[in-house]
Amino acid sequence: MYTELRQELYKLSHRKLPWLIIIFMVALMVIIGLAMGRTYSNLLVMTCYDSSMVIMLLLVIVGSTIFSMEFQNETIIPLIYRSRGRGSVFFAKFVTLFLYDVILHIIAIMVTFLLNIVPIINNPVSWTAIYKYHQPLVINMLATTGVDLVTSSLIISLICLSSCLINSNTVVIAINALIIFMGSGLSSNLLLANVGPSRIIRWNPFNMLNLTTQYYNYATYHITSMLSNSQLLLGTICYVIIFTLLAYWCFQRKHF
């Protein structure tokens, strides 16, 4: 898989879109900081200026080009013929998207540090100040980033699955964007509607999208999700594995 992974990383690094999107992400982080004001300085730092949803949306856009565009343009066929097998191609694309996810989070952390050093839109904060979970703020930020990597991995697995089922790049972007924006609300409505036993319904995959937001705002989101942080983390990891395996199964049996 090393050769396939190197090819995918080369293609990603030589596209303009992934780099232009990073500029868009930084701009949105600044806008969010301006919108929330100086009252929420610690929270903005802990959440890297609420970059979680922005990163997930960017992953949908870039991820659709890695998978769906290749299906749509049929460039996947020569790629498979030149590789050792479909499995190598699939997991090379999955790992590439995950590595891009890590890069986006690292850049978000760097921008957060920069905005704290140059307090144009935010008050300077003490990185050692005790904040959530009786931990220093810098630990809160790193922990939130780690948690969000798990949450965004769920989106990556959904991108892979939907791309293997649907060849249209536009449709894949639309479906996953709707999941990001409406998934949490849909889960909440299911739980409030009492359509089934809440002990089972609360484990639906849409509820796992609450993982990051509940971590930094437990009091509010725990009431909605009806799961603890550790339960959400466990559920998210399980769904990542399930959706990734389903995507791999679909990819292996897809006709080109």
Side-chain angles (χ1 to χ4, degrees), residues 1 4-5 8-9 11-12 15 17-18 58-80 85-100 152-173 176 240 243-256:
M1 192 183 80
E4 290 79 10
L5 179 59
E8 291 298 329
L9 291 172
K11 288 190 293 184
L12 182 67
R15 288 173 179 162
L17 180 64
L58 301 186
L59 286 172
V60 169
I61 296 171
V62 174
S64 65
T65 64
I66 291 177
F67 274 95
S68 295
M69 285 295 288
E70 297 233 20
F71 294 143
Q72 192 170 316
N73 298 330
E74 296 185 351
T75 54
I76 191 73
I77 299 174
L79 186 63
I80 291 176
R86 291 194 177 197
S88 298
V89 174
F90 174 83
F91 285 108
K93 291 180 177 296
F94 182 91
V95 172
T96 298
L97 193 52
F98 177 76
L99 291 175
Y100 184 66
S152 53
S153 294
L154 176 61
I155 295 300
I156 291 174
S157 66
L158 287 170
I159 294 169
C160 296
L161 178 58
S162 57
S163 295
C164 291
L165 294 173
I166 305 168
N167 289 343
S168 173
N169 179 48
T170 305
V171 175
V172 170
I173 292 176
N176 287 286
V240 169
F243 290 145
T244 302
L245 291 177
L246 281 174
Y248 174 68
W249 182 82
C250 292
F251 186 81
Q252 288 282 45
R253 286 156 181 78
K254 190 175 181 68
H255 296 290
F256 302 111

Side-chain angles (χ1 to χ4, degrees), residues 17-28:
L17 180 64
W19 302 109
L20 292 174
I21 274 179
I22 291 175
I23 299 174
F24 178 71
M25 179 187 76
V26 174
L28 281 180

Side-chain angles (χ1 to χ4, degrees), residues 1 6 14 42 70 132 137 145 149 160 170 176 202 219 224 243 247-248:
M1 192 183 80
R6 188 175 60 182
H14 284 75
N42 287 345
E70 297 233 20
K132 301 283 187 178
L137 184 59
T145 300
L149 280 170
C160 296
T170 305
N176 287 286
R202 63 181 179 172
T224 303
F243 290 145
Y248 174 68

Side-chain angles (χ1 to χ4, degrees), residues 101-115:
D101 183 21
V102 173
I103 291 172
L104 290 177
H105 280 90
I106 291 174
I107 292 173
I109 290 175
M110 293 171 61
V111 172
T112 301
F113 272 105
L114 179 62
L115 292 176

